[in-house]
Amino acid sequence: MNFDERTLTDAVLARMDGCEDARFVTIMTSLVRHLHDFVREVELTEAEWMEGIRFLTATGQKCDDKRQEFILLSDTLGVSMLVDAINHRFAKGVTETTVFGPFFVEGAPHVAQWADIRGGAKGAPCFVSGTVRDIDGAPVADAVIDVWQSDGEEGFYDVQKPGAEPYCRAKIHTDASGRFGFLTVKPISYPVPTDGPVGGMLLTMGRHPYRPAHIHTMIQGEGFAPLTTHLFVAGDKYLDSDAVFGVKDSLVVDFVTNPAGRAPDGSTMNEPFVTATYDFVLARA
Ligand code: BEZ
Ligand code: FE
């Protein structure tokens, strides 16, 4: 009773005395404390509180089975990368992780080495290859690399285009030497979806919505921790200002343009093509 600005926080926390889930108490105690401190610190007005409620309501209403506006909110506020960092404290030398993003689709086809995964996507042909190894340099055979990315001309994922056939998605297996290779298109930078409340938030914050060009990879090897990361295109103008704070120097790769001629898969290309190589290192599970 008679709670005031100072005593209300402890009163709310005391109401959890009957909670039997210790982790839940830890999380809610911290959340309530930080939330109350935030309200006190900024001296939130009633109009601002209402605007916050409106924003969160609109964020929920924008979500459906294909669109997750709350994850986008988490991404653009840096929370996703913070959770990622806390949960993947791998040893030095292990490939760094980055944000998962909303455009992964379960069930991409398993393809052979050097498969063409473009599926009709436009963009410069791009051969991506490399190895998957453990921290001691031993090859990881039969690791499965899930790959997904946007096209190389408009910057859209297939799932962003109603009715489009799947493109630039595949599961590639490493060979006995831990090697992999595939043919895709060179990705370009693209904006995160801006037609919802998060887009409005970015605009009001004075931020652009772009992500630097990248290829998503998720690697699973028997006995190893799964690795979700990106390969970023060196030289992209958004590397220093990724809308979701996902860039790490160690993930920036040279995508080299080559003249027409012999390609890494042994074929002959009669147009210029791009090559990129990367050697992934997995942590033991
Ligand atoms: C993506 O890279 O696909 C992505 C990540 C976070 C938010 C939006 C898009
Ligand atoms: Fe992406």
Side-chain angles (χ1 to χ4, degrees):
M1 270 205 306
N2 300 320
F3 304 118
D4 62 19
E5 286 179 35
R6 228 171 19 86
T7 60
L8 194 55
T9 306
D10 284 340
V12 173
L13 297 179
R15 295 279 168 97
M16 281 195 294
D17 277 356
C19 180
E20 289 176 359
D21 183 335
R23 178 66 179 160
F24 188 66
V25 171
T26 301
I27 290 171
M28 290 308 293
T29 300
S30 182
L31 179 66
V32 169
R33 278 201 198 290
H34 282 86
L35 198 55
H36 284 210
D37 282 346
F38 155 71
V39 171
R40 275 187 285 262
E41 186 183 313
V42 302
E43 303 214 321
L44 203 67
T45 68
E46 286 174 315
E48 288 161 347
W49 173 84
M50 197 60 218
E51 177 56 19
I53 298 289
R54 189 207 61 74
F55 175 80
L56 292 173
T57 304
T59 300
Q61 287 168 341
K62 193 71 188 167
C63 296
D64 58 27
D65 59 335
K66 294 206 177 60
R67 178 76 177 260
Q68 232 305 350
E69 194 74 357
F70 271 111
I71 295 186
L72 190 58
L73 181 60
S74 161
D75 294 341
T76 51
L77 292 182
V79 176
S80 304
M81 281 305 294
L82 197 50
V83 173
D84 180 68
I86 289 165
N87 284 274
H88 300 105
R89 291 181 180 130
F90 292 148
K92 201 169 159 20
V94 171
T95 300
E96 292 190 280
T97 53
T98 190
V99 69
F100 187 60
F103 298 125
F104 175 74
V105 177
E106 282 293 347
H110 291 264
V111 299
Q113 287 285 350
W114 291 118
D116 181 349
I117 69 163
R118 291 177 292 180
K122 297 205 174 100
C126 176
F127 292 89
V128 180
S129 61
T131 58
V132 179
R133 297 181 181 279
D134 70 11
I135 190 75
D136 301 317
V140 179
D142 204 29
V144 181
I145 310 176
D146 245 297
V147 174
W148 69 105
Q149 65 167 91
S150 63
D151 72 72
E153 214 168 83
E154 295 176 314
F156 286 123
Y157 287 77
D158 50 6
V159 288
Q160 293 178 288
K161 291 184 164 187
E165 289 293 315
Y167 58 73
C168 297
R169 291 182 188 279
K171 290 184 199 293
I172 294 124
H173 294 244
T174 54
D175 68 13
S177 327
R179 302 202 154 276
F180 67 89
F182 58 94
L183 170 58
T184 183
V185 293
K186 182 183 174 191
I188 59 169
S189 44
Y190 63 85
V192 300
T194 54
D195 59 338
V198 173
M201 179 194 77
L202 293 177
L203 200 66
T204 310
M205 283 178 153
R207 288 170 55 178
H208 73 70
Y210 280 86
R211 296 219 62 208
H214 58 273
I215 298 176
H216 292 257
T217 59
M218 180 167 66
I219 309 182
Q220 320 228 25
E222 180 93 44
F224 294 91
L227 178 83
T228 300
T229 194
H230 298 1
L231 302 182
F232 290 98
V233 177
D236 190 287
K237 69 173 179 171
Y238 297 112
L239 282 174
D240 287 334
S241 62
D242 182 4
V244 305
F245 307 96
V247 180
K248 292 173 177 171
D249 279 346
S250 65
L251 303 175
V252 178
V253 179
D254 285 329
F255 282 65
V256 179
T257 302
N258 306 269
R262 197 165 169 80
D265 65 347
S267 67
T268 301
M269 296 290 285
N270 45 27
E271 59 178 318
F273 59 93
V274 176
T275 49
T277 61
Y278 197 79
D279 295 324
F280 295 95
V281 178
L282 303 183
R284 293 246 162 235

